Amino acid sequence: MVEITSKNAARQTFMPLMRELVRAYQAFSHYSADGFRLSGSSLTQPFTLGNTEGMTFKEIGDKTLITKGTLTGIIDRLEGKKLVKRRTDKQDRRRIMVRLTRRGERLFDTEFPRQIIWMKKKFSQLSKKDRDEAIRVLGLIREAFEAE
Amino acid sequence: MVEITSKNAARQTFMPLMRELVRAYQAFSHYSADGFRLSGSSLTQPFTLGNTEGMTFKEIGDKTLITKGTLTGIIDRLEGKKLVKRRTDKQDRRRIMVRLTRRGERLFDTEFPRQIIWMKKKFSQLSKKDRDEAIRVLGLIREAFEAE
DNA sequence: TATTGTTATACTCTATAACTATA
DNA sequence: TATAGTTATAGAGTATAACAATA
């Protein structure tokens, strides 16, 4: 049924994993609770600025893999919504610190837990053992792709 | 160090998994070989039209979770590049079949294997056992989020 | 009436290159 | 010169609502 070629061998071996990774992430991100959608690599991820003293553009970019030009626009929009504010670093005036405003913090403090509760309902369908396994193997995948 | 509240309990329990899922996917998708980038839920995923007789807009939308208005634009662009073509279904003239052109097939036949080879280099860093585990737990995650 | 796909609208994310200000 | 961030440009994905054609 299946041709035995090295091309097909590779497909058989890695396609299912690749597909499952995409599908799992897609299901996860697409059905995130509204108002706090977790898109691929954007700042809407609550992992970035919440519970920090602020970060420079450079730091945010390094962490999220967003290029600086793109980041300016994203921060502009968040600033427009009064969720973050810019502040020039006094030591090095090229640097600009970005930090949550009170309103931004309030959003993270209210919306984020709501999101968590919703996530909990979903992730609870996995056993503790399976969740630990998931964390472990996802870490391996990340390391493999981060290398170089 | 950590407050013991139900909110924090949820964070402790599910945040690491959530974070690893996002980071692993991010690393995977961001470093995909150029020219064939795998974005979140777009048709650039080789899983959609390759090796099919064509699909209707409805079918593609259901499979990729892309809404119909968005899909029209995506197909327009692919058609502009002469990678796909539209054909009205004769039985039900409301339906339009989308199918790879010869050029589209050629792209999938050449670029896709190249992508696979690159993926192989990365995924090979995981043992067979870990890859199987990854497929299994990612399937569980997908099922949890797809339910309802 | 219901379904399939299109159009119009508006917004976000994306990268790149040229630019300004600072170091 | 090098680094941090902005601006300008161009393109792609996103959803929604109103619409046309067909069933």
Side-chain angles (χ1 to χ4, degrees), chain A residues 21-22 25, chain B residues 20-30 38-40:
Chain A
L21 179 58
V22 172
Y25 180 79
Chain B
E20 281 303 329
L21 179 58
V22 172
R23 292 177 70 193
Y25 180 79
Q26 209 168 331
F28 163 77
S29 69
H30 199 269
L38 301 160
S39 77

Side-chain angles (χ1 to χ4, degrees), chain A residues 13 18 25 27 31 37 61 71 78 97 100 105 112 124 148:
Chain A
T13 310
M18 206 165 139
Y25 180 79
Y31 291 107
R37 189 153 280 180
L71 199 49
L78 289 175
M97 298 292 288
L100 289 178
E105 276 175 6
F112 189 43
S124 297
E148 269 123 320

Side-chain angles (χ1 to χ4, degrees), chain B residues 108-122:
Chain B
F108 280 111
D109 288 348
T110 60
E111 285 307 308
F112 188 42
R114 191 177 305 172
Q115 182 75 4
I116 290 287
I117 286 166
W118 187 84
M119 287 293 164
K120 179 177 170 164
K121 233 169 62 187
K122 296 299 181 177

Side-chain angles (χ1 to χ4, degrees), chain A residues 37-73:
Chain A
R37 189 153 280 180
L38 302 160
S39 76
S41 61
S42 104
L43 282 186
T44 56
Q45 285 177 40
F47 313 121
T48 307
L49 283 171
N51 298 320
T52 72
E53 298 295 313
M55 302 169 69
T56 64
F57 273 77
K58 185 68 165 59
E59 289 170 326
I60 298 174
D62 288 344
K63 190 165 181 181
T64 60
L65 306 177
I66 298 172
T67 53
K68 56 190 182 178
T70 303
L71 199 49
T72 296

Side-chain angles (χ1 to χ4, degrees), chain A residues 10 14-15 20 23-26 30 47 64 116 120 122-123 130 133 136 138-140 142 144-145 147, chain B residues 10 14-15 20 23-26 47 64-65 116 120 122-123 130 133 136 138-140 142 144-145 147:
Chain A
F14 302 103
M15 278 295 292
E20 282 301 330
R23 291 178 69 192
Y25 180 79
Q26 208 168 331
H30 199 270
F47 313 121
T64 60
I116 290 289
K120 179 177 169 168
K122 296 297 180 180
F123 283 125
D130 286 337
E133 265 299 278
R136 186 180 68 82
L138 286 167
L140 294 177
R142 175 175 52 75
F145 280 90
Chain B
F14 303 104
M15 279 294 293
E20 281 303 329
R23 292 177 70 193
Y25 180 79
Q26 209 168 331
F47 312 122
T64 60
L65 305 178
I116 290 287
K120 179 177 170 164
K122 296 299 181 177
F123 282 125
D130 286 337
E133 266 299 277
R136 185 179 70 80
L138 286 167
L140 295 177
R142 175 175 53 75
F145 280 90

Side-chain angles (χ1 to χ4, degrees), chain A residues 57 71-82 84 86:
Chain A
F57 273 77
L71 199 49
T72 296
I74 292 173
I75 299 298
D76 283 348
R77 283 183 288 278
L78 289 175
E79 204 170 31
K81 293 173 192 159
K82 303 214 185 303
V84 304
R86 287 170 159 93

